[in-house]
Amino acid sequence: MSEITLTPRAAKRINEIMGAEPPGSSLRISVNGGGCSGFSYAFDIARSREAQDVAIERDGATVIVDPVSLEYMSGSTIDFVNDLIGQSFKIENPLATASCGCGTSFSL
């Protein structure tokens, strides 16, 4: 299983967001069934970790992923983009065969 990569832009934005959260908080990314392409990413603030969670760290930022979601995200790169349609985290997932226009839904 390939690791998940966090870009410097994503780490910077996560650190900005976590600055307003209680100490020890992290960004949790999970994969859920549903969405217009079959699966969707969910982004939440986690105040605790489960023993089996995997932590991805860069430049002081931490992303937590559960083991089931990790299987669907193997080899992915998490980035943060700021373009004409807005700001968002973008996941480049090599396992995805298709994704929707919003970038939060994908299929395998």
Side-chain angles (χ1 to χ4, degrees):
M1 186 177 310
S2 299
E3 68 179 50
I4 295 174
T5 304
L6 195 59
T7 67
R9 282 189 306 238
K12 180 181 178 194
R13 183 62 181 139
I14 291 166
N15 283 329
E16 290 169 355
I17 293 168
M18 292 307 129
E21 298 296 328
S25 297
S26 303
L27 178 66
R28 178 179 292 280
I29 301 177
S30 55
V31 175
N32 299 321
C36 54
S37 294
F39 295 97
S40 62
Y41 298 110
F43 300 86
D44 298 295
I45 304 298
R47 290 178 174 60
S48 64
R49 294 185 196 179
E50 300 297 325
Q52 64 272 30
D53 285 341
V54 173
I56 299 100
E57 299 178 348
R58 180 176 193 143
D59 302 332
T62 303
V63 172
I64 298 171
V65 181
D66 65 88
V68 174
S69 297
L70 189 63
E71 291 182 33
Y72 293 102
M73 295 178 63
S74 180
S76 293
T77 300
I78 302 168
D79 196 7
F80 182 76
V81 295
N82 185 1
D83 55 26
L84 291 175
I85 60 171
Q87 299 179 348
S88 64
F89 287 102
K90 179 180 178 185
I91 299 177
E92 294 179 26
N93 187 338
L95 301 176
T97 57
S99 63
C100 68
C102 67
T104 61
S105 181
F106 67 100
S107 61
L108 299 176

